[in-house]
Amino acid sequence: MSCFYVNGNLVRCENDMPLLRFLRDELRLTSVKDGCSEGACGTCTVIIDGRAMKACVQKTSRLEGKHVTTTEGLSRFEKEAYVYAFGRAGAVQCGFCTPGMVMSAKALIDRDNDPDEAAIRKAIKGNICRCTGYVKIVEAIKLAAGIIRENRLPDDADKAEDWSVGSRVARLDVREKVLGYGEYTDDMYLDGMAHASALRSKYPRARILGIDTSRAKALPGVIAVLTAADIPGQNKVGHLKKDWDTMIAVGECTRYLGDAVALVVAEEPMIVEQAKALIDVEYEPLTPIKSPYEAMQPDAPLLHQDGNLLAHKHVSRGNAQEAIAKSKFVLHGRYSTPFTEHAFLEPECAVAMPYNGGVKIYSSDQSVYDTQHETAPMLGLPMEKVYVENKLVGGGFGGKEDVSVQHHAALAAYLTNRPVKVKLTRAESILIHPKRHPMDMDFTLGCDENGVIQGVKAVVIADTGAYASLGGPVLERACTHAAGPYNYQNFEIDGYAYYTNNPPAGAFRGFGVTQTCFAMESMLNRMAHKIGVSPWQIRYINAIRPGQVLPNGQIADASTGLVETLEAVKDAYEGAKYAGIACAMKNAGVGVGLPDTGRVRLRIIGGRVHIEAGASCIGQGLGTVLMQYVTDELSQSGIDRSDIVYSGSNSLSPDSGTTSGSRQTLITGEAALRACQKLKEDLKSHSLNQLEGREYYGEYLAKTDPLGSDKPNPVSHVAYGYATQVSILGDDGRVKEIVAAHDVGKAVNPLSVEGQIEGGVIMSCGFALTESYPLDNCSPTAKYGTLGLFRADDCPLVKPVIIEKAGIDKARGAIGIGEITSIPTAAAIAEAYYMKDNIERYSLPLEGTPYQKK
């Protein structure tokens, strides 16, 4: 037994355990987050006797007489100081890292109440943030230090904020995220709740000959051990293509090490792990397919019944081959990009319980309706019997679009009639959820003597891993955007995505465009040097302008602002000794003829307007955006911000589509405005109280033309965002600064837009320079701490430049920005290194830089 103090209160811990588990499981201090339990991420940071320390690696037996402080133990004034500072600076996105950041900040400020930026970055270097790029967190800590030093809140702390569109308003959820009382799924502790976890495959490819669960079932505390034979509905799930086994049945083959073989449900997590070790599985090991090149061989074993080729995408306009043949200058290049791990701070977790003859699922995912649509057929239930509700989502970046634990939690709850929590360990998360596709890309580019692009031809080979996930659409987007944001008419690309026995690949911020942009923009930089013009100039010559035709045939609309982004970075680029440049375009919305609808319902309850939309907020601030739209629109009818409530996302709200494709601000935002128009009509003759119980529904279908349309100028997407980024190196060879100019149409919340730019840039600094997801015989070997994620003291200065240009007649002209912020960064950095050492680099992470591991 050990006795120590937590937030000033004496506590006793009977059994030795990690402090993290004691604080969360025994004291229910859930501000202390479990991001990795490996001492790597910092989400569990607490203060022990004045020092910031990670609770997951501190044993309670070593805390005798010590004082532990969590955010719950901050003074009232400190709480208000940090809430104000983090909100005003825009330092909160998904929020999962935030309480840990606050504790590291407090430990610093307690010993130095006027820290400089270097001291702040050093103090939080043990705290990973995957969303913000740290810029605004540093600003928030500096602001908090000033407040605490002066012992008073700023005069505007109690002033009502301006919630109109275009205002730099603090996010809705700042307080609950800063203070740690906002509820993520793992923060749920329910009476009678059991725990479940899947036994994963021993081999990346093997036939299962038998599963003996008898010893596991006999273990005291085990409630059930389930296999594929126990699934009441369809075993196959999948985001689009139903090819992913809930569990591998006897007689079937595993396809990667993350495949579930059995599901153990028990009273305690420790018993679950003990029972998993008692399950006897008889395997027939088979030779795994480790690469697309093995998968495409004529004699390769088939990983799925319909073959190893998941998708082939062909995009063509004009005659690229002929145009290249007639070009004065022709370049050819082969580029490759690796698997990348999302590394969101919150590991996947779901809680499910019996509900109304079906199940209720609490989840942290990117669409409650996608979870419903995948889970209900597996349970053999109609959709309405599977209710799904988002808790706070601790980051996604595309990695939480597929079900990972939701269906397992639902199955366990449905069959045992108990509430059940299923949570992945960090090691499981790194193995199981789909990653960014590794791609090999072969590009040929032809230009005339002035640098005008004549034609581009390319081939892309992608490793989509064990299951489809979103591999088909990712490949398609990689191909359609590979032409770049330029005005030429001869383009042809073939893309191929092959199944392997590696971890699956799917959606990741940029959705395939990040990879092909690296290749195309690198080619354009090489071409500029070959011709003898500057990389800035060659882009300015070819940049798409309003009224011109993109290589996909779409006519660029009036909001097209690529030229403006180039002009915004010109001085920074030309004034630097070693600078690289790259441009990008990225669709907002699903596009290419697929149904893409935003839906919002406004309900009048208790004299207030409730915003209901089945759309997940994964850190991008959707709730705040919808609140700004609705507040701004209804202010014309005398409705104040205090009269409006954002209700979150659940499957009783209208289906607003997946949080993917940078679509929610534009598409669901437009739906919200349309619902407001209907409400405004009634407000002309009624008060809110008189409208009690009424509902106002808004819907917007973002109609587009399918890929391969025979229209001369098809509309592939309802909107595109454009960007130019410049990377500047210091004399020491490290990236000193990145200037990122982004055309966003209309910035609904400039503070949030800046945060998206800063976070996306730093994420792709890792993609370009340090991040690694190595595989050994199809098995990932990295831990969270060795993925190569950028930390606060690694980061260059990021200067976001927001370009606003009217032209989109929906959602007040706003264009989503979540993905494009990460797309051009790698190519810009690669070019900066070329300017320093004259070495071309064709693969990521870049070699020959100071960032390489020794």
Side-chain angles (χ1 to χ4, degrees):
M1 183 182 77
S2 55
C3 296
F4 51 96
Y5 295 87
V6 176
N7 297 330
N9 299 311
L10 181 64
V11 297
R12 292 176 175 81
C13 182
E14 298 294 334
N15 301 309
D16 190 21
M17 65 180 71
L19 175 60
L20 172 64
R21 298 270 48 100
F22 179 73
L23 294 174
R24 288 184 60 84
D25 301 339
E26 303 297 325
L27 301 185
R28 297 291 194 266
L29 296 175
T30 55
S31 73
V32 188
K33 305 301 182 188
D34 183 4
C36 70
S37 286
E38 298 172 355
C41 74
T43 61
C44 66
T45 300
V46 297
I47 295 175
I48 302 177
D49 287 351
R51 294 178 57 202
M53 305 185 79
K54 294 166 184 173
C56 66
V57 293
Q58 302 298 318
K59 289 297 187 76
T60 54
S61 60
R62 301 177 63 184
L63 296 176
E64 185 69 33
K66 295 187 176 183
H67 289 259
V68 178
T69 305
T70 71
T71 56
E72 289 90 346
L74 295 173
S75 71
R76 180 175 297 179
F77 174 71
E78 286 176 314
K79 289 179 179 179
E80 294 305 316
Y82 285 111
V83 168
Y84 175 88
F86 275 69
R88 180 53 55 94
V92 176
Q93 290 191 28
C94 88
F96 201 79
C97 75
T98 307
M101 289 286 184
V102 168
M103 299 316 293
S104 289
K106 174 177 166 55
L108 169 65
I109 294 169
D110 281 352
R111 64 178 185 271
D112 177 6
N113 67 9
D114 192 13
D116 61 16
E117 181 171 334
I120 293 171
R121 288 185 177 274
K122 182 179 179 181
I124 61 172
K125 70 178 182 179
N127 299 76
I128 294 287
C129 177
R130 197 67 164 149
C131 296
T132 68
Y134 305 100
V135 177
K136 294 193 179 334
I137 292 175
V138 172
E139 293 174 4
I141 295 171
K142 187 74 172 175
L143 180 56
I147 293 170
I148 291 168
R149 186 171 61 250
E150 296 173 10
N151 198 33
R152 61 186 295 272
L153 291 170
D155 293 338
D156 63 353
D158 295 325
K159 182 180 177 182
E161 292 192 270
D162 177 4
W163 280 83
S164 62
V165 169
S167 295
R168 299 174 65 87
V169 67
R171 295 194 180 193
L172 283 171
D173 48 13
V174 164
R175 178 173 293 274
E176 63 178 332
K177 288 179 174 177
V178 169
L179 301 182
Y181 65 81
E183 194 170 57
Y184 299 83
T185 314
D186 190 35
D187 296 334
M188 298 181 70
Y189 289 84
L190 305 178
D191 291 341
M193 186 174 74
H195 299 265
S197 177
L199 175 69
R200 305 290 169 174
S201 176
K202 185 178 179 180
Y203 302 96
R205 181 168 174 260
R207 189 174 304 281
I208 294 183
L209 303 179
I211 305 173
D212 184 353
T213 62
S214 58
R215 291 196 301 148
K217 288 178 177 177
L219 185 69
V222 170
I223 300 166
V225 181
L226 307 173
T227 66
D230 298 303
I231 294 172
Q234 303 170 11
N235 189 25
K236 299 281 188 181
V237 299
H239 192 83
L240 295 177
K241 183 179 180 181
K242 306 296 184 185
D243 68 346
W244 200 328
D245 298 271
T246 301
M247 286 184 276
I248 304 296
V250 172
E252 299 296 324
C253 290
T254 66
R255 296 183 180 88
Y256 83 123
L257 290 166
D259 273 328
V261 176
L263 185 66
V264 174
V265 190
E267 300 291 352
E268 299 291 342
M270 183 174 65
I271 299 173
V272 170
E273 295 306 313
Q274 291 171 347
K276 284 164 62 176
L278 295 175
I279 298 172
D280 297 308
V281 183
E282 184 181 356
Y283 295 96
E284 177 192 349
L286 301 170
T287 302
I289 293 178
K290 302 177 185 179
S291 76
Y293 303 98
E294 293 179 10
M296 68 175 68
Q297 296 304 311
D299 59 348
L302 299 185
L303 300 187
H304 291 268
Q305 288 184 353
D306 53 357
N308 291 341
L309 180 64
L310 167 65
H312 169 225
K313 300 296 180 181
H314 179 73
V315 180
S316 179
R317 183 174 175 85
N319 190 328
Q321 187 166 333
E322 180 180 319
I324 291 169
K326 293 179 179 179
S327 297
K328 182 174 179 60
F329 296 99
V330 177
L331 280 176
H332 175 257
R334 293 178 178 172
Y335 297 84
S336 65
T337 59
F339 273 113
T340 316
E341 160 65 20
H342 299 77
F344 35 71
L345 269 296
E346 177 206 27
E348 297 88 337
C349 183
V351 172
M353 64 189 70
Y355 180 73
N356 194 28
V359 291
K360 178 186 289 188
I361 305 170
Y362 294 100
S363 178
S364 58
D365 56 40
Q366 293 185 220
S367 170
V368 292
Y369 278 94
D370 287 346
T371 292
Q372 181 193 62
H373 295 161
E374 290 198 56
T375 303
M378 185 269 299
L379 295 176
L381 292 173
M383 295 296 172
E384 63 270 16
K385 288 295 182 180
V386 177
Y387 169 84
V388 186
E389 181 176 323
N390 273 150
K391 290 296 182 178
L392 292 178
V393 183
F397 316 113
K400 291 179 179 175
E401 291 198 38
D402 301 84
V403 293
S404 55
V405 291
Q406 303 96 309
H407 57 323
H408 286 163
L411 178 66
Y414 186 62
L415 294 182
T416 65
N417 204 36
R418 292 273 298 271
V420 179
K421 178 185 285 187
V422 180
K423 177 190 172 187
L424 297 186
T425 65
R426 179 54 71 178
E428 287 175 324
S429 178
I430 288 174
L431 167 65
I432 290 164
H433 73 251
K435 317 302 172 189
R436 175 180 279 144
H437 284 78
M439 291 187 184
D440 291 339
M441 297 160 287
D442 188 297
F443 271 69
T444 303
L445 166 66
C447 285
D448 70 11
E449 63 276 10
N450 297 313
V452 177
I453 299 172
Q454 301 300 296
V456 173
K457 193 167 184 178
V459 177
V460 173
I461 305 294
D463 183 345
T464 207
Y467 294 103
S469 180
L470 283 150
V474 167
L475 180 69
E476 183 174 90
R477 209 65 68 248
C479 291
T480 58
H481 284 59
Y486 305 112
N487 177 35
Y488 65 98
Q489 302 305 309
N490 299 296
F491 176 70
E492 184 174 9
I493 186 168
D494 281 285
Y496 303 86
Y498 287 92
Y499 288 115
T500 67
N501 292 117
N502 293 321
F508 195 128
R509 192 179 208 167
F511 212 76
V513 186
T514 317
Q515 296 94 308
T516 53
C517 179
F518 169 64
M520 178 60 186
E521 291 297 303
S522 295
M523 289 289 291
L524 206 54
N525 285 326
R526 287 177 59 203
M527 182 62 78
H529 297 308
K530 184 178 180 71
I531 294 173
V533 300
S534 83
W536 184 92
Q537 185 67 26
I538 200 170
R539 288 173 170 81
Y540 197 75
I541 291 168
N542 289 285
I544 190 72
R545 290 161 168 83
Q548 293 180 340
V549 180
L550 285 160
N552 63 10
Q554 181 164 336
I555 298 172
D557 61 43
S559 72
T560 301
L562 180 61
V563 166
E564 288 82 351
T565 68
L566 278 161
E567 291 170 344
V569 304
K570 188 173 189 284
D571 289 346
Y573 175 71
E574 294 182 346
K577 185 177 179 181
Y578 307 121
I581 189 169
C583 294
M585 61 183 286
K586 182 64 175 71
N587 58 288
V590 175
V592 292
L594 298 174
D596 189 13
T597 303
R599 302 177 180 91
V600 171
R601 180 172 60 226
L602 303 179
R603 296 178 67 194
I604 314 304
I605 304 173
R608 304 175 82 189
V609 181
H610 288 246
I611 306 170
E612 298 180 347
S616 299
C617 179
I618 61 175
Q620 84 278 29
L622 174 63
T624 303
V625 166
L626 294 180
M627 180 64 77
Q628 286 183 260
Y629 275 133
V630 173
T631 301
D632 194 309
E633 191 68 24
L634 296 184
S635 65
Q636 303 163 26
S637 301
I639 303 300
D640 187 71
R641 159 69 182 89
S642 60
D643 298 322
I644 305 169
V645 178
Y646 174 63
S647 298
S649 175
N650 60 66
S651 58
L652 295 181
S653 299
D655 184 358
S656 300
T658 307
T659 297
S660 179
S662 305
R663 58 178 298 281
Q664 293 291 4
T665 294
L666 169 56
I667 294 172
T668 300
E670 173 63 17
L673 291 172
R674 293 184 178 193
C676 287
Q677 292 299 321
K678 296 177 181 179
L679 173 55
K680 284 168 66 177
E681 282 299 311
D682 277 1
L683 286 171
K684 291 177 180 178
S685 54
H686 299 79
S687 69
L688 271 183
N689 287 329
Q690 291 172 327
L691 298 175
E692 182 70 21
R694 294 197 189 182
E695 300 180 358
Y696 301 86
Y697 178 76
E699 179 175 303
Y700 167 53
L701 171 62
K703 188 176 180 181
T704 54
D705 298 313
L707 193 67
S709 169
D710 59 4
K711 293 181 178 180
N713 297 109
V715 176
S716 294
H717 296 281
V718 292
Y720 288 101
Y722 297 88
T724 304
Q725 293 185 4
V726 170
S727 170
I728 300 170
L729 302 186
D731 288 331
D732 61 355
R734 299 180 74 84
V735 180
K736 180 176 70 174
E737 179 181 333
I738 293 182
V739 182
H742 284 261
D743 162 33
V744 302
K746 173 65 179 178
V748 177
N749 187 328
L751 188 65
S752 287
V753 170
E754 291 171 358
Q756 288 291 299
I757 295 171
E758 291 156 357
V761 165
I762 294 302
M763 179 177 280
S764 268
C765 283
F767 177 54
L769 294 164
T770 59
E771 291 190 30
S772 177
Y773 184 82
L775 296 173
D776 180 7
N777 196 33
C778 305
S779 175
T781 59
K783 293 186 176 181
Y784 197 82
T786 65
L787 288 169
L789 310 177
F790 260 57
R791 294 178 180 269
D793 58 345
D794 296 326
C795 297
L797 174 66
V798 180
K799 290 186 177 179
V801 181
I802 299 174
I803 304 296
E804 293 186 290
K805 190 173 183 182
I808 300 293
D809 63 354
K810 304 294 188 296
R812 302 282 187 88
I815 302 168
I817 193 176
E819 295 175 282
I820 195 173
T821 57
S822 279
I823 292 174
T825 317
I829 292 174
E831 170 65 7
Y833 278 103
Y834 175 81
M835 295 303 294
K836 188 174 191 301
D837 60 20
N838 206 37
I839 298 173
E840 298 282 3
R841 291 165 171 85
Y842 296 88
S843 63
L844 301 179
L846 300 172
E847 296 183 351
T849 78
Y851 297 89
Q852 274 191 292
K853 294 178 181 178
K854 304 299 183 183

